[in-house]
Amino acid sequence: MNDADQRTALAITLPDGRVLTLDAPTTAADVVKLIGPGLAKAALAAKVDGRLVDLGLPIERDARIEIVTLKSPDALELVRHDAAHVLAEAAKELYPDVQVTIGPVIEDGFYYDFARDKPFTPEDLAALEARMREIVARDEPVTRDVWPRDKAIAFFESIGEGYKAEIVRDLPGDEEIRIYSQGKFIDLCRGPHLPSTGKLPTAFKLTKVAGAYWRGDSRNPMLQRIYGTAWLTQADLDAYLHRIEEAERRDHRRIGREMDLFHIQEEAVGAIFWHPKGWTLYRQLVEHVRRRLDTDGYVEVNTPMLVDRSLWEASGHWEKFREQMFTTQAEERALALKPMNCPCHVQVFRQGLKSYRDLPTRMAEFGSCHRNEPSGALHGIMRVRAFTQDDAHIFCTPDQVTAEAVKFCRLLAQIYRDFGFEEFSVRFADRPAVRAGEDAVWDKAEAWLKAAIEAAGHPYQLSPGEGAFYGPKLEFHLKDAIGRTWQCGTLQLDFVLPERLDATYVAEDGKEHRPVMLHRAILGSLERFVGILIEHYAGRFPLWLAPTQVAVATITNDSDAYAAEVAATLKAAGLRVELDARADKIGYKVREHTLAKVPLLIAVGKRESETQTVSLRRWGTDGQESLALAEAVARLRDEARPPA
RNA sequence: GCUGCGGUAGCUCAGGGGUAGAGCACAUCCUUGGUAAGGAUGGGGUCGGAGGUUCGAUUCCUCUCCGCAGCACCA
């Protein structure tokens, strides 16, 4: 026994610096009572020396204590965790045959995985949610206990909770087995929990049910996962539900149909039929990126889509990604559709002798690739089997890597800005479990890439094990108009492929050396990027991207000839124009083109044709301005120019 | 790929063992109207596909394809 155990008085320091003296052992709940009844009522949990714990947890030594209430930053996580538990309790009450497994907090809410033969229906969700509210109304006290491992295993097995027993069995040997009870529901949990179910704000909602593998492994049985969202206030919940609606409203699949941009059909699953308007948009992307690449010292190439298996064997793709490659055969040759452009780019690089004077070579391709993605992964134009990358490979010397990475980051930021994305974040993905190349090479590659991103001056987060099989990578995640992030750009450092495909250059010493290869993309998949743009702008593209930039509508058919002249003049100035000379009222035409999200509407009637003017209306505004045709053409041509 | 749910007109959706319905869209005619829907008439469906049960299937059952959500995957 040491001195600490013999002490009977504890010094409890509060956030405001006050020190309370209490007899040991005490609990946060005791401390709260001393502070006041208001706080006692509001208290959800406590932070003891920075660690989040239950209010009732015995405190046996001097500590700094902070009381967690709904106003604390930690409250949301606690509340969501408890919502998951209340869901589990409700499920056990309504459906005694379910086994409970795990129920963690996730972004915006929580889920709980249940094992049950019969699937949950939407009606079950409604019943569960109603029962959850009853449990909150019951205000059941939540108590915490620590059990010996054997007792916990025996208990869970005795009540038929095999998954829980398995979790207990797999807990590390030194871990406390904490058992929480609320009402008749007894559960293994790390905690902490609210002191009673009545403390749970009722701003929660069960949202969906779906399958999920036990322990996230597709070889394990599938459980039924119920998703829920939970918030501190009803206003927060409403705001969240509104955000979901907003995302649905922006869904690129819906807007793509409404704006007649593209379609997908059964006969070409995972591939896109681009309609004239969608393809116009797509072309703006390509043409803009190409302009930026030209001024940034890239050369553009184009390489075969269908390539002999031997190249993929040499590159390592056959070994690592054969399952996801489309293959075919011709005259006894095994061929594969390229899933990536890099091996082909190395072939271009290998033509003729390369000197150090040729480096860096920045070789770009809008490369059409095919990957046999699992059917369940396909999603609109965001995840497809046939796509085009804004790909490039930079062949350079080791001492050029940093400068190239910095240059690339600058180009990427510029292009994101051009497309209306001001913010992006960077992740550093290091070596994956399945990889090519030796650890020493990886050590070097990771160190260099890290140095490069630091030189570029971007803060980054670590994504352990997420690198490509041939090298570490930087991932660039951009943030869209409603705060969602999308990984688009990537910069990867590769020592392996130049070796495997024998790329060399002659250095100043007259000897052959291996170039370093930087794989890089900015938009990633053009198809996906179009999808992101659609959702980012909700279909309301900036003028330079809009498939139709101006609609010229007549007031009456008397103005048809003048309207045609206006349209032709705008077209000659490079604008994308639609002439609407239908015998409909101008109000109807305004409505149609507004719904079609055409940025500019020019109306012409008798007044305009007599004075060689146009009446210009901009999307989203009610008024219109009258100006001379020549001036309108000059102004709109300027406005429609891509970002310089 | 796995689990669940779904597939009815171009779109959104209703219906339901007795050979199908709405709104919008589309076509024709009338209307020429100054900034978010003028009117009339009309055409349109192997009820995703294949089998089965039944006197009879779009409806019930089986298989299959595709879609959606989530999981797993994403060089």
Side-chain angles (χ1 to χ4, degrees):
Chain A
M1 275 212 176
N2 59 34
D3 290 352
D5 291 326
Q6 287 171 333
R7 276 171 53 177
T8 52
L10 294 181
I12 301 297
T13 311
L14 302 178
D16 62 4
R18 260 199 300 164
V19 180
L20 303 178
T21 308
L22 290 99
D23 288 340
T26 186
T27 67
D30 295 332
V31 174
V32 163
K33 274 182 221 145
L34 281 181
I35 301 175
L39 188 62
K41 212 170 155 196
L44 301 179
K47 261 190 160 169
V48 174
D49 291 328
R51 210 161 53 90
L52 202 58
V53 299
D54 298 281
L55 284 175
L57 188 78
I59 300 168
E60 279 152 354
R61 60 195 64 182
D62 294 350
R64 302 184 69 86
I65 289 198
E66 199 182 319
I67 302 303
V68 176
T69 67
L70 284 180
K71 293 201 176 79
S72 312
D74 299 299
L76 199 52
E77 178 145 0
L78 276 171
V79 158
R80 286 173 177 165
H81 186 195
D82 271 60
H85 266 246
V86 171
L87 168 60
E89 183 180 358
K92 287 299 281 183
E93 286 186 8
L94 286 175
Y95 314 100
D97 59 315
V98 300
Q99 285 189 61
V100 295
T101 67
I102 56 161
V105 171
I106 51 172
E107 199 181 349
D108 298 329
F110 61 92
Y111 67 75
Y112 208 107
D113 283 348
F114 298 100
R116 185 191 187 214
D117 291 338
K118 238 171 81 183
F120 290 112
T121 64
E123 293 73 45
D124 291 335
L125 282 199
L128 281 165
E129 197 179 309
R131 182 58 66 100
M132 286 172 72
R133 294 186 196 287
E134 275 175 44
I135 293 170
V136 172
R138 274 187 231 151
D139 196 16
E140 296 167 347
V142 178
T143 59
R144 175 191 195 274
D145 215 345
V146 175
W147 287 7
R149 179 174 302 249
D150 294 347
K151 179 181 170 189
I153 294 172
F155 170 75
F156 285 118
E157 278 182 347
S158 75
I159 59 167
E161 293 285 4
Y163 286 96
K164 280 285 175 196
E166 184 178 332
I167 296 170
V168 176
R169 223 175 265 123
D170 293 349
L171 281 175
D174 52 350
E175 185 112 350
E176 261 183 357
I177 311 294
R178 298 179 202 152
I179 303 294
Y180 282 83
S181 328
Q182 54 193 58
K184 291 195 186 103
F185 181 53
I186 298 172
D187 190 26
L188 168 81
C189 186
R190 190 181 297 129
H193 276 291
L194 307 184
S196 71
T197 58
K199 299 277 190 219
L200 182 66
T202 52
F204 58 76
K205 184 175 162 63
L206 299 182
T207 50
K208 55 197 159 197
V209 57
Y213 299 108
W214 168 235
R215 297 193 153 163
D217 190 326
S218 57
R219 286 165 303 193
N220 285 340
M222 184 153 283
L223 307 173
Q224 292 189 65
R225 176 170 299 177
I226 294 179
Y227 282 90
T229 185
W231 300 84
L232 300 181
T233 65
Q234 187 64 34
D236 288 350
L237 173 61
D238 291 343
Y240 166 75
L241 295 174
H242 182 259
R243 193 147 54 84
I244 298 298
E245 268 175 43
E246 178 63 20
E248 270 167 35
R249 197 177 67 76
R250 289 167 181 258
D251 191 314
H252 74 281
R253 293 165 298 184
R254 169 214 286 263
I255 293 177
R257 187 178 343 97
E258 285 170 355
M259 293 182 72
D260 194 19
L261 302 177
F262 57 82
H263 85 270
I264 294 170
Q265 67 185 47
E266 273 195 43
E267 290 80 357
V269 169
I272 304 170
F273 290 81
W274 286 104
H275 298 191
K277 285 185 178 153
W279 192 245
T280 299
L281 175 58
Y282 182 107
R283 275 176 48 200
Q284 304 317 309
L285 262 62
V286 172
E287 283 163 21
H288 186 66
V289 170
R290 182 172 281 142
R291 279 191 294 270
R292 290 279 185 236
L293 292 177
D294 280 348
T295 57
D296 228 37
Y298 283 76
V299 291
E300 187 177 325
V301 299
N302 194 268
T303 61
M305 255 189 255
L306 201 50
V307 179
D308 195 275
R309 168 178 164 172
S310 56
L311 182 64
W312 306 116
E313 283 171 348
S315 71
H317 290 87
W318 192 257
E319 187 194 341
K320 299 265 179 343
F321 296 104
R322 189 185 338 180
E323 297 299 307
Q324 287 98 278
M325 286 166 73
F326 288 106
T327 55
T328 184
Q329 219 170 331
E331 296 184 344
E332 317 277 304
R333 271 178 170 258
L335 302 162
L337 281 170
K338 70 176 171 189
M340 300 181 78
N341 306 299
C342 30
C344 290
H345 287 188
V346 175
Q347 305 316 303
V348 176
F349 182 84
R350 275 165 42 95
Q351 295 305 109
L353 276 182
K354 290 291 182 292
S355 150
Y356 70 95
R357 295 174 198 274
D358 296 317
L359 304 185
T361 293
R362 308 185 190 95
M363 191 183 291
E365 177 172 3
F366 293 95
S368 188
C369 298
H370 289 77
R371 294 178 189 174
N372 194 0
E373 302 283 1
S375 58
L378 302 177
H379 179 82
I381 64 174
M382 299 279 206
R383 186 90 182 262
V384 287
R385 288 178 177 151
F387 58 96
T388 304
Q389 291 176 312
D390 66 321
D391 201 7
H393 295 92
I394 301 170
F395 298 87
C396 62
T397 64
D399 53 6
Q400 288 168 336
V401 167
T402 304
E404 285 304 308
V406 170
K407 187 178 169 68
F408 169 71
C409 288
R410 208 179 305 132
L411 176 67
L412 171 128
Q414 174 66 254
I415 288 178
Y416 286 173
R417 261 202 306 281
D418 293 343
F419 286 110
F421 301 101
E422 297 295 332
E423 261 185 80
F424 67 90
S425 59
V426 186
R427 295 222 190 117
F428 181 87
D430 62 13
R431 67 193 78 186
V434 180
R435 58 180 182 261
E438 287 160 23
D439 284 357
V441 176
W442 276 89
D443 289 341
K444 189 166 84 170
E446 286 170 0
W448 282 21
L449 198 57
K450 224 173 244 182
I453 190 62
E454 274 156 16
H458 290 289
Y460 61 89
Q461 274 185 306
L462 205 62
S463 286
E466 298 287 313
F469 79 90
Y470 47 71
K473 62 183 183 187
L474 293 171
E475 297 176 349
F476 299 86
H477 298 248
L478 53 78
K479 197 175 203 178
D480 76 7
I482 55 172
R484 298 174 301 181
T485 59
W486 304 88
Q487 196 230 304
C488 294
T490 179
L491 176 64
Q492 306 169 11
L493 183 53
D494 184 0
F495 292 112
V496 176
L497 209 56
E499 181 78 40
R500 294 192 72 133
L501 297 179
D502 194 28
T504 58
Y505 68 95
V506 179
E508 286 128 302
D509 61 7
K511 295 192 184 120
E512 289 196 339
H513 291 257
R514 291 271 175 237
V516 180
M517 231 176 132
L518 294 173
H519 304 244
R520 42 111 295 167
I522 292 175
L523 309 186
S525 145
L526 291 170
E527 286 75 3
R528 179 161 170 272
F529 199 79
V530 170
I532 293 169
L533 279 178
I534 291 171
E535 302 204 352
H536 177 61
Y537 287 115
R540 280 205 50 220
F541 301 107
L543 191 59
W544 71 283
L545 288 172
T548 301
Q549 296 172 314
V550 196
V552 178
T554 51
I555 309 280
T556 73
N557 289 133
D558 290 340
S559 313
D560 284 0
Y562 179 59
E565 183 195 333
V566 171
T569 312
L570 289 165
K571 251 181 219 168
L575 286 146
R576 297 186 287 274
V577 187
E578 230 174 79
L579 177 61
D580 184 355
R582 293 174 300 176
D584 286 304
K585 295 212 281 194
I586 190 66
Y588 180 82
K589 294 184 185 181
V590 166
R591 178 182 154 82
E592 281 227 321
H593 295 113
T594 301
L595 289 176
K597 303 177 175 74
V598 176
L600 302 168
L601 178 73
I602 282 178
V604 296
K606 208 180 202 172
R607 265 198 322 261
E608 286 77 12
S609 58
E610 280 168 359
T611 56
Q612 292 284 301
T613 57
V614 298
S615 167
L616 178 67
R617 179 190 171 108
R618 290 169 189 275
W619 198 100
T621 61
D622 275 337
Q624 59 254 214
E625 86 184 286
S626 176
L627 64 172
L629 172 59
E631 195 198 338
V633 171
R635 252 161 67 176
L636 298 183
R637 185 186 45 208
D638 281 351
E639 282 182 35
R641 260 193 253 282

